[in-house]
């Protein structure tokens, strides 16, 4: 009986501590809620609304009918029109569209001869998106009377960057974003908290170090850690899985540095809020889960509802996924991916400012 009483007292104390620890209590409620919403609402393997472009060299009513028929499938959304194939290929390379429908100048003659009516130029770096687009290869065109293409193929398909559709080609560059998010945010989220727990914060207060200087000094060592991880992942990915590195190493280095800086800044913001290292690790989970599920690493960005896409756009990992796959697989440069690069620069600057202000406030 006394044993039960003693155990009950400890249990009551633990429940009270749990109720006072808002971050831990929030984890109990929010983690299952976030996962339920992500997997039930945001995650969708049925790919729809893939952004594509059209190059209609026929300039005919038949070409417009075919374009409308393709749009009616809801698999794709026509976002751009280009006069030439070269311009369209540049849009694929820059990540503006995932595929291009090319309708040749002799479109009408092809229909009369019952030949394939056109060609899809597809970004094959994302295997799930390319698989969805391959479904349009044998698309029936009821709008064109008596048209029956040979071998039941309506369109020819050319897969760029990953013609063999190997999943490793898509996974390895994306894995770089996940691992860097995990390590960079986790390391720096405990940076300020660790100083507080060890009693070093009071020492830092008495030094002439400014809050912004402290924030920058805290993240610089971890930049080298991140670069080591980049070398390991891409190096072994190339040697073991034969993942191509088509972009310039200078572009790869600069793009990675932008993401490392943004991730470290995010970790610093967490560290100025958390009171203990355990809380910092718990808060990191709130960043890590959406970064894996909403960034396009596993599930296509285009398949997500608008609300999930808005959330994804806030995360550094989403922008890095586009950048790293564009540079490594498509050979793009940062000028073509300037929107994502500019966003990460702005995120880093704003994050450093907020973290330094938050740190200064905590000193008061």
């Amino acid at each position: 009986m006394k044993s039960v009483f003693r155990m009950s007292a400890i249990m009551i104390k633990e429940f009270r501590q749990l109720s006072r620890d808002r971050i831990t209590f929030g984890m109990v409620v929010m983690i299952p809620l976030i996962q339920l919403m992500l997997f039930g609402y945001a995650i969708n393997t049925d790919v729809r609304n893939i952004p594509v472009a059209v190059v209609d060299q026929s300039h005919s009513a038949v070409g417009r009918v075919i374009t409308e028929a393709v749009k009616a499938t809801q698999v794709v959304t026509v976002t751009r029109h280009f006069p030439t194939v070269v311009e369209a290929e540049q849009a694929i390379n820059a990540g503006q569209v995932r595929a291009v429908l090319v309708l040749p100048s002799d479109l009408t003659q092809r229909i009369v001869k019952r030949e394939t009516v056109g060609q899809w130029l597809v970004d094959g770096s994302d295997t799930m998106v390319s698989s969805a687009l391959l479904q349009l290869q044998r698309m029936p065109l009821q709008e064109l009377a008596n048209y029956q293409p040979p071998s039941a193929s309506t369109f020819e398909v050319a897969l760029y960057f990953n013609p063999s559709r190997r999943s490793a080609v898509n996974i390895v560059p994306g894995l770089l974003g996940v691992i860097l998010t995990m390590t960079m945010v986790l390391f720096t989220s405990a940076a300020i908290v660790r100083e507080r727990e060890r009693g070093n914060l009071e020492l830092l207060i008495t030094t002439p170090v400014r809050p912004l200087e402290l924030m920058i000094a805290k993240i610089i060592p971890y930049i080298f850690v991140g670069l080591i991880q980049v070398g390991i992942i891409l190096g072994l990915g190339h040697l073991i899985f034969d993942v191509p590195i088509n972009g310039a190493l200078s572009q790869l280095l600069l793009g990675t540095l932008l993401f490392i800086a943004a991730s470290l800044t995010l970790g610093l913001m967490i560290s100025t809020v958390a009171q203990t290292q355990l809380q910092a690790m718990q808060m990191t989970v709130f960043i890590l889960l959406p970064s894996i599920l909403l960034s396009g690493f596993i599930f296509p960005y285009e398949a997500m509802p608008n609300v999930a896409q808005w959330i994804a756009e806030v995360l550094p990992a989403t922008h890095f996924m586009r950048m790293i796959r564009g540079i490594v697989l498509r050979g793009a440069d940062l000028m073509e991916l300037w929107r994502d690069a500019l966003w990460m620069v702005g995120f880093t600057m704003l994050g450093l400012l907020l973290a330094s202000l938050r740190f200064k406030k905590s000193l008061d």
Side-chain angles (χ1 to χ4, degrees), residues 45-61:
T45 57
D46 189 13
V47 183
R48 290 288 184 269
N49 301 318
I50 302 172
V52 302
V54 174
V55 178
D56 187 357
Q57 298 173 333
S58 69
H59 305 290
S60 64

Side-chain angles (χ1 to χ4, degrees), residues 77-281:
T77 298
V78 177
T79 59
R80 306 286 296 272
H81 287 81
F82 293 102
T84 65
V85 175
V86 173
E87 294 178 75
E89 289 177 331
Q90 291 174 350
I92 293 178
N93 194 61
Q96 298 174 4
V97 294
R98 293 298 191 100
V100 176
L101 174 61
V102 180
L103 300 176
S105 56
D106 60 343
L107 178 61
T108 304
Q109 291 87 336
R110 285 172 175 265
I111 294 174
V112 173
K113 297 178 182 179
R114 296 185 177 182
E115 298 176 348
T116 54
V117 299
Q119 183 181 36
W120 279 105
L121 310 179
V122 179
D123 176 5
S125 59
D126 191 323
T127 53
M128 192 173 293
V129 171
S130 62
S131 296
L133 289 169
L134 284 173
Q135 297 176 8
L136 301 179
Q137 182 179 9
R138 303 191 177 191
M139 173 185 163
L141 295 177
Q142 293 87 352
E143 294 82 357
L144 304 179
N146 300 322
Y147 174 71
Q148 294 180 348
S151 303
S153 293
T154 312
F155 302 101
E156 297 176 352
V157 176
L159 286 173
Y160 289 7
F161 316 119
N162 186 16
S164 58
R165 297 171 61 197
R166 293 188 297 117
S167 59
V169 173
N170 180 57
I171 292 295
V172 170
L175 185 63
L176 183 60
V178 173
I179 292 177
L180 287 178
T181 299
M182 184 185 305
T183 55
M184 296 297 99
V185 176
L186 182 60
F187 288 165
T188 51
S189 64
I192 301 298
V193 180
R194 184 169 57 248
E195 300 291 352
R196 183 182 294 112
E197 289 184 342
R198 292 179 178 177
N200 296 334
L201 195 58
E202 290 77 7
L203 178 61
L204 290 173
I205 295 174
T206 61
T207 65
V209 177
R210 298 176 180 177
L212 184 58
E213 294 173 344
L214 177 63
M215 297 298 108
I216 296 175
K218 280 288 184 183
I219 68 175
I220 288 179
Y222 297 108
I223 292 177
F224 296 98
V225 175
L227 292 177
I228 292 173
Q229 292 180 325
V230 172
I232 292 173
I233 296 171
L234 290 183
L236 292 180
H238 181 68
L239 292 175
I240 298 175
F241 301 106
D242 196 25
V243 175
I245 302 178
N246 296 319
L249 292 180
S250 60
Q251 298 294 309
L252 177 61
L253 176 62
L254 183 55
T256 304
L257 285 174
L258 290 176
F259 177 64
I260 290 175
S263 299
L264 292 175
T265 302
L266 182 57
L268 279 179
M269 288 191 289
I270 293 175
S271 71
T272 60
V273 176
Q275 298 299 315
T276 65
Q277 293 189 60
L278 177 59
Q279 287 184 351
M281 294 176 64

